[in-house]
Amino acid sequence: MEGHARCVIVADSVTHAPLPNATIFDRHGNAIAICDSNGKMPYISDSSYPITVRYLGFNDGLVSASSVDTVFLKENFSELPEVVVESRRHKVMHILAYVREYSTLTTYTDTVFLFREKMVDYMLPSDKNVRFKGWSNPRVLKAKSYYRFTNGNELDSVSDKSNYHFSWSDWVGMPPIEKLPEKILNGKCSNDTLFGKYSPTEIWVKSDDKVTVDVNVLADTASRKWVPNLSGFFRRRLDFENFRVRYRYADIVADAVSPTDLTGYSFNI
């Protein structure tokens, strides 16, 4: 039986870096194979050609014959359009967001620095009676990661892949609806500090219709309400040394802040 026996690699057309786990479709559009972690294509029968190679974030690659050694895919740079979900009853709110992350992992021998950019979205039902639960954690739509590795001899290397996973940005999501402290309700420019068991836990600052709240999550167990998606980590007694979150709101006309008013948030763990 004739077929594709040579080693064919699926790679980025610019960097020539292998693309792991690319999906291969036969001439009829059926998924027939997946490349390995090194981008190597498995055996493909000649009768399956022409084949289509697909990889998330890249344009499809069409291969008409089994005589090629490398399939180069071109990255798709299409930008996400703004999405507006409209409804007379406004039961669901769809939020698109851009996330930038800087993280560092230190082991006994190595230090790994991560820079990651992501487009994410949230789907927040405004009616508790709706069966659709949505999600308040950021769902990743597209991401790019860059790692810098430094060993004990201070030798550096850079890559877009790593065997370490030490990101927290997928767990810090939308905050709940919270009432404004009474001290800042009526003032145009005012502030208030709420104390936890050992230290200040919430610092509220209001300027016209804009509100900023800085939360020290570790100052009091009640402060964990601001990061409800991380409750499981606290129950497992994960030892945080520092956990602070800042939320920024705009167009505040009511006595509470909600995800509808949120313009951005940042955190430091």
Side-chain angles (χ1 to χ4, degrees):
M1 180 179 180
E2 293 186 357
H4 169 56
R6 67 173 64 197
C7 178
V8 178
I9 302 297
V10 178
D12 187 318
S13 62
V14 177
T15 65
H16 289 191
L19 299 176
N21 306 319
T23 307
I24 302 166
F25 296 81
D26 65 11
R27 63 192 305 166
H28 303 295
N30 301 313
I32 57 173
I34 296 178
C35 297
D36 65 13
S37 58
N38 297 314
K40 182 179 177 181
M41 189 182 297
Y43 171 88
I44 303 294
S45 170
D46 283 342
S47 61
S48 299
Y49 285 84
I51 61 173
T52 301
V53 183
R54 291 177 180 169
Y55 194 80
L56 183 64
F58 288 76
N59 293 320
D60 293 353
L62 182 65
V63 183
S64 57
S66 60
S67 57
V68 297
D69 293 318
T70 307
V71 178
F72 289 110
L73 300 184
K74 186 176 181 181
E75 191 168 4
N76 184 355
F77 289 100
S78 59
E79 296 183 358
L80 291 171
E82 182 179 355
V83 175
V84 178
V85 180
E86 296 182 349
S87 169
R88 291 183 179 180
R89 302 185 69 179
H90 298 286
K91 288 188 176 182
V92 177
M93 180 172 64
H94 184 210
I95 300 175
L96 279 176
Y98 167 74
V99 178
R100 181 186 290 126
E101 176 182 3
Y102 304 90
S103 296
T104 302
L105 170 71
T106 301
T107 70
Y108 289 109
T109 57
D110 301 312
T111 298
V112 186
F113 175 79
L114 164 66
F115 170 68
R116 177 174 290 155
E117 293 181 296
K118 298 188 291 189
M119 286 301 298
V120 303
D121 74 346
Y122 310 82
M123 194 71 79
L124 307 176
S126 57
D127 190 341
K128 294 182 179 180
N129 297 322
V130 177
R131 290 186 179 181
F132 176 69
K133 300 301 181 183
W135 53 88
S136 58
N137 271 345
R139 182 182 66 164
V140 179
L141 303 177
K142 190 172 183 179
K144 283 188 176 182
S145 301
Y146 304 93
Y147 298 88
R148 176 183 176 184
F149 303 90
T150 305
N151 63 16
N153 297 320
E154 297 187 353
L155 297 176
D156 288 346
S157 61
V158 179
S159 175
D160 59 353
K161 298 179 178 63
S162 173
N163 294 326
Y164 298 106
H165 181 76
F166 52 98
S167 170
W168 288 96
S169 60
D170 292 342
W171 296 98
V172 180
M174 286 289 135
I177 297 174
E178 287 294 325
K179 286 191 174 183
L180 298 176
E182 291 187 8
K183 287 186 178 180
I184 70 170
L185 270 177
N186 300 319
K188 234 185 149 182
C189 295
S190 54
N191 61 78
D192 191 16
T193 300
L194 306 182
F195 285 85
K197 188 174 182 180
Y198 303 107
S199 60
T201 181
E202 297 176 18
I203 299 176
W204 292 76
V205 177
K206 183 181 180 183
S207 177
D208 293 328
D209 63 346
K210 296 180 176 61
V211 172
T212 300
V213 55
D214 288 281
V215 182
N216 181 357
V217 179
L218 303 183
D220 196 289
T221 54
S223 303
R224 300 174 187 175
K225 65 185 178 182
W226 289 94
V227 285
N229 299 320
L230 281 110
S231 58
F233 293 101
F234 290 110
R235 285 197 296 267
R236 280 180 266 170
R237 298 184 181 276
L238 191 66
D239 189 15
F240 291 94
E241 293 183 358
N242 178 54
F243 196 156
R244 297 177 183 269
V245 192
R246 168 176 285 188
Y247 298 100
R248 299 183 299 276
Y249 302 89
D251 301 322
I252 303 300
V253 294
D255 61 350
V257 291
S258 72
T260 308
D261 313 308
L262 192 67
T263 60
Y265 66 79
S266 58
F267 65 91
N268 189 313
I269 298 180

